[in-house]
Amino acid sequence: MCGIFGCILRKGDAAPIIHSALKRLEYRGYDSVGEATLQQEKLLIKKDEGKIDEVHALHNLDDLPGRIGIGHTRWATHGAPSRVNAHPHTDCTEKIAVVHNGIIENFLQLRRELEELGHLFQSKTDTEVICHLIEEEMSGGKPLAEAVRGAVKRLDGSYAIAVLSTSEPDKIVCVRKESPLALGVAEDAVYCASDIPAFLPLANKSVILQDGELGMLKDEGYELRKIDDWSLVTREPEVIDWTPEMAEKQGYPHFMLKEIHEQPLCLRNTLRLQEQYLELMTTFLDRAGEVFLVACGTSYHACLAASYMFSKLAMLATYPVIASEFVEQHGRAVNIESTILAVSQSGETADTLAAVEWARKRAATILGLTNTIDSTLTRVSRVYICQQSGPEIGVAATKTFTSQLSVLSQLALRLAKKRGKISHEEIEDLEEKLEHIPNIVDTIIESQEEKVKQLAKKYRDKDCFFFLGRGVSSASALEGRLKLLEIAYAPSIAYPAGESKHGPISLVEAGFPVVFLCPRDGTRKTIVGNIMEMKARGASIIAIIQEGDEEIKGLADDYLEIPEGLPEILSPIPYVIPLQLLAYYMAIERDLDPDKPRNLAKSVTVQ
Ligand code: M6R
């Protein structure tokens, strides 16, 4: 996730406006920054690696001349943070500049094709292909907007872009597909940006671009067209009534809720990961003598779920290990044959890095899954995958968890394919279902959020909660418990449901809330037995069920529904959504700030 911005002012310099707008977008990415302005038909660019203040201190982002410009704040996806990979990017002639948020899936193929035509690339980014594609289109005599249209028609993936060209120095062209883009309209200026906060102090009206639309910003205002048939779109600007604080959270009261709602988008991003990284990591996993899945907190729960995926799909036994226990538990056994797949959204968790360091010294192979390019984990990993969830601000991991699960399930599927462990039909079916997960998550949020709010009201004063699931759902149970505990300060206990009668059941008395995860998989029969045991002792049953599961509906005091047709192995992604919402609304009911739970830090950099 990156932030893009563009502005056309009637008078005054664009650079300080771009600089301040990028500051307001910094939460979208902060590993490098850049801006381009147009002055006397010349393109002027400043960019570098680092946070905005650092780059400003070095280069003065305010002194570029010109009243038209674009800017970018980056969250690296393709290519490490560096000056050359920072946006804006340019074409061979340095007459076209582009800023981009999103992922171009087919960039390697396009890059090869453009290089064969003689284009010279400077960066390792996917974005740069867009500049050269526009250059190609313009060399045939097309005006800027049509050239941009021609270029984006070649792109697979997601993008919000803003383009400047010296050949039409009074315009900015922007396009949206699956990445946010809004126009800001003021008396004396027009803006485009990834999010409204970028222009909130400057414009009080906005127009939201829809997927497949192109916006042309000019002195007189803006023009919108559909990329498909080039027809004009008429959309009047709407008055923005957000406070700056609301705007930063895009109208959501908290980052946690915003990030829960972002999950469909993030999951779509994980389905666009570059094949070669997935393939490379799968090859390492395939060759491994033994695989340890090492992580802390929520990332550990993703590892636990992954151990079921690897075993059930690829018949690979893996050991999920809590990072702080790794050295004590397995340290002496680690050797050159061992492979460590370390999972950490921040890539900076001290316990995870300590486990990795130990294993590295014993010549083990280190693989990394993280959300942060250029984090320590990426530097110490032989191969790493960046899950592309964008910055997560809420302390509770939500969107990064489901993205981790999506990447890990893709790895398990690939490994299954490589090892010939399941049939082609089964693999194709699973791949198709994985493609649908973002839509399913969308449906769950839309259909269940209100019900979760009511549940939070009903159970807000309960002292303690149980979370129970079987099989892969025991990982979801642990994650549901961690969310409720850390955000709503509700003491909670989670177990594989079969274990509950070996001790924990002694806590249960009339009205004790027990959350059961009940997907319709091989564990369903036994989970019904566990529900009966709890009911017999007066527990209040809150069941997360598959839509239309009448039997469990009849047993439960309350239930939340997940659309049917999901394979067992993918169920942790949808089934955790109601649990995240439950934690969030319980915190609200208890008058707590879900974004800043006490005693916790987003990244735990001490052991
Ligand atoms: O950055 P990491 O994924 O390594 O972080 C691991 C844990 O600290 C983290 O998941 C923590 O448990 C979260 N607060 C959970 O919501």
Side-chain angles (χ1 to χ4, degrees):
M1 196 160 86
C2 305
I4 71 167
F5 180 76
C7 64
I8 298 190
L9 312 178
R10 295 250 162 75
K11 56 179 188 304
D13 283 330
I17 302 284
I18 299 171
H19 175 192
S20 59
L22 293 180
K23 279 296 290 175
R24 291 187 288 273
L25 282 179
E26 201 168 13
Y27 65 91
R28 294 185 62 90
Y30 35 73
D31 58 47
S32 48
V33 62
E35 58 183 25
T37 58
L38 275 170
Q39 165 82 336
Q40 291 169 353
E41 296 178 28
K42 272 188 74 178
L43 203 53
L44 307 159
I45 295 182
K46 283 192 180 185
K47 61 181 189 176
D48 212 340
E49 175 189 352
K51 295 208 165 73
I52 297 176
D53 288 347
E54 293 160 4
V55 175
H56 180 54
L58 275 177
H59 301 289
N60 188 359
L61 290 170
D62 292 341
D63 71 354
L64 281 183
R67 62 183 184 86
I68 297 182
I70 55 177
H72 187 269
T73 177
R74 180 166 187 246
W75 177 262
T77 57
H78 296 73
S82 65
R83 187 188 177 278
V84 80
N85 288 334
H87 299 216
H89 290 287
T90 52
D91 66 321
C92 300
T93 62
E94 305 213 330
K95 290 186 170 159
I96 298 162
V98 176
V99 288
H100 164 222
N101 167 38
I103 299 164
I104 308 304
E105 286 165 31
N106 57 341
F107 89 98
L108 279 176
Q109 181 194 323
L110 290 170
R111 183 174 171 138
R112 272 195 291 273
E113 189 185 304
L114 287 156
E115 280 173 338
E116 272 167 28
L117 291 172
H119 289 263
L120 294 176
F121 280 75
Q122 295 177 28
S123 74
K124 295 220 172 338
T125 63
D126 51 345
T127 305
E128 200 182 332
V129 295
I130 306 174
C131 314
H132 296 278
L133 282 173
I134 299 171
E135 181 188 2
E136 265 305 299
E137 295 279 335
M138 289 185 87
S139 68
K142 280 189 189 165
L144 178 63
E146 282 172 46
V148 172
R149 178 186 181 216
V152 297
K153 280 183 155 184
R154 304 279 326 273
L155 305 177
D156 293 337
S158 62
Y159 44 85
I161 58 170
V163 186
L164 278 185
S165 165
T166 55
S167 65
E168 293 180 43
D170 54 346
K171 289 191 188 91
I172 293 175
V173 175
C174 55
V175 188
R176 170 193 174 147
K177 187 188 161 221
E178 289 178 33
S179 292
L181 188 60
L183 306 187
V185 186
E187 287 285 293
D188 53 357
V190 56
Y191 307 92
C192 63
S194 296
D195 285 331
I196 290 173
F199 51 72
L200 193 69
L202 309 163
N204 68 348
K205 287 184 184 161
S206 87
V207 179
I208 308 291
L209 262 78
Q210 303 300 322
D211 280 346
E213 288 180 352
L214 175 145
M216 205 191 314
L217 278 55
K218 35 196 181 180
D219 279 337
E220 314 83 73
Y222 66 92
E223 183 179 304
L224 295 183
R225 283 183 184 272
K226 287 202 171 127
I227 293 284
D228 267 0
D229 57 8
W230 212 228
S231 58
L232 270 174
V233 177
T234 318
R235 190 169 307 133
E236 290 305 316
E238 288 184 16
V239 174
I240 316 166
D241 53 9
W242 291 355
T243 63
E245 210 212 344
M246 278 164 77
E248 200 188 12
K249 296 175 192 141
Q250 287 169 5
Y252 291 101
H254 298 98
F255 283 110
M256 183 179 174
L257 191 60
K258 170 177 172 279
E259 286 155 3
I260 290 174
H261 278 252
E262 275 170 2
Q263 289 181 107
L265 182 78
C266 297
L267 287 164
R268 280 183 195 109
N269 283 345
T270 61
L271 295 172
R272 299 200 171 103
L273 292 174
Q274 292 296 314
E275 297 266 319
Q276 73 267 31
Y277 298 123
L278 288 165
E279 195 49 41
L280 196 56
M281 200 173 274
T282 309
T283 305
F284 275 103
L285 290 169
D286 191 28
R287 286 189 201 145
E290 60 189 359
V291 178
F292 296 100
L293 307 171
V294 179
C296 300
T298 291
S299 298
Y300 167 72
H301 299 149
C303 289
L304 186 60
S307 67
Y308 289 83
M309 297 171 185
F310 283 123
S311 160
K312 293 206 168 202
L313 295 177
M315 285 156 217
L316 172 73
T318 56
Y319 305 101
V321 193
I322 290 180
S324 55
E325 287 299 313
F326 179 75
V327 173
E328 290 299 322
Q329 201 177 354
H330 298 286
R332 284 173 66 89
V334 171
N335 59 51
I336 198 165
E337 302 292 322
S338 314
T339 292
I340 314 297
L341 172 50
V343 179
S344 168
Q345 83 80 22
S346 63
E348 299 296 350
T349 298
D351 286 326
T352 308
L353 294 177
V356 162
E357 202 41 39
W358 175 280
R360 237 159 63 99
K361 287 199 178 124
R362 273 150 192 81
T365 303
I366 310 297
L367 309 176
L369 169 57
T370 181
N371 190 33
T372 319
I373 280 205
D374 218 28
S375 59
T376 308
L377 183 58
T378 64
R379 288 195 290 269
V380 297
S381 299
R382 181 91 180 266
V383 179
Y384 69 85
I385 289 182
C386 182
Q387 62 186 74
Q388 326 228 349
S389 316
E392 189 174 62
I393 313 287
V395 165
T398 51
K399 61 177 184 172
T400 53
F401 176 62
T402 45
S403 294
Q404 285 166 346
L405 290 172
S406 170
V407 178
L408 291 164
S409 57
Q410 289 178 65
L411 287 171
L413 265 171
R414 269 177 190 262
L415 194 57
K417 210 187 258 181
K418 208 182 220 22
R419 297 183 148 200
K421 294 295 183 189
I422 56 175
S423 68
H424 279 299
E425 292 75 34
E426 210 176 330
I427 289 182
E428 273 166 26
D429 181 54
L430 283 165
E431 281 173 345
E432 202 186 307
K433 299 227 158 96
L434 188 61
E435 287 286 326
H436 283 302
I437 291 263
N439 297 343
I440 287 176
V441 170
D442 238 339
T443 310
I444 296 168
I445 297 174
E446 216 172 279
S447 63
Q448 303 301 301
E449 189 166 2
E450 200 44 51
K451 281 174 81 179
V452 178
K453 263 190 214 170
Q454 299 314 318
L455 284 188
K457 282 193 202 306
K458 180 170 169 185
Y459 291 99
R460 51 165 285 167
D461 295 323
K462 292 289 176 188
D463 294 330
C464 187
F465 289 75
F466 257 151
F467 287 81
L468 299 176
R470 281 180 173 260
V472 72
S473 294
S474 56
S476 318
L478 282 168
E479 178 56 9
R481 176 208 59 167
L482 176 60
K483 288 288 90 84
L484 189 66
L485 187 141
E486 68 176 333
I487 299 303
Y489 311 154
S492 309
I493 300 162
Y495 272 97
E499 269 292 289
S500 60
K501 55 187 176 299
H502 296 285
I505 200 164
S506 66
L507 284 176
V508 175
E509 54 188 5
F512 190 103
V514 186
V515 180
F516 272 100
L517 289 137
C518 319
R520 262 192 195 273
D521 57 21
T523 67
R524 176 141 180 317
K525 225 176 172 173
T526 37
I527 209 97
V528 170
N530 297 129
I531 295 178
M532 300 304 287
E533 286 157 14
M534 292 290 169
K535 261 184 88 73
R537 286 153 183 90
S540 298
I541 310 295
I542 305 161
I544 320 292
I545 59 167
Q546 183 182 300
E547 220 166 45
D549 188 336
E550 299 305 325
E551 184 188 6
I552 299 189
K553 269 190 203 171
L555 297 175
D557 295 82
D558 293 286
Y559 61 85
L560 297 163
E561 289 178 288
I562 305 295
E564 57 187 341
L566 281 162
E568 169 196 359
I569 225 61
L570 301 178
S571 66
I573 303 177
Y575 276 74
V576 81
I577 308 294
L579 305 183
Q580 296 170 341
L581 287 167
L582 182 65
Y584 174 78
Y585 284 109
M586 282 286 285
I588 300 303
E589 282 299 320
R590 293 176 170 212
D591 220 7
L592 300 168
D593 179 351
D595 284 343
K596 297 191 194 87
R598 69 184 171 214
N599 306 334
L600 288 175
K602 183 68 187 160
S603 175
V604 184
T605 52
V606 287
Q607 271 185 278

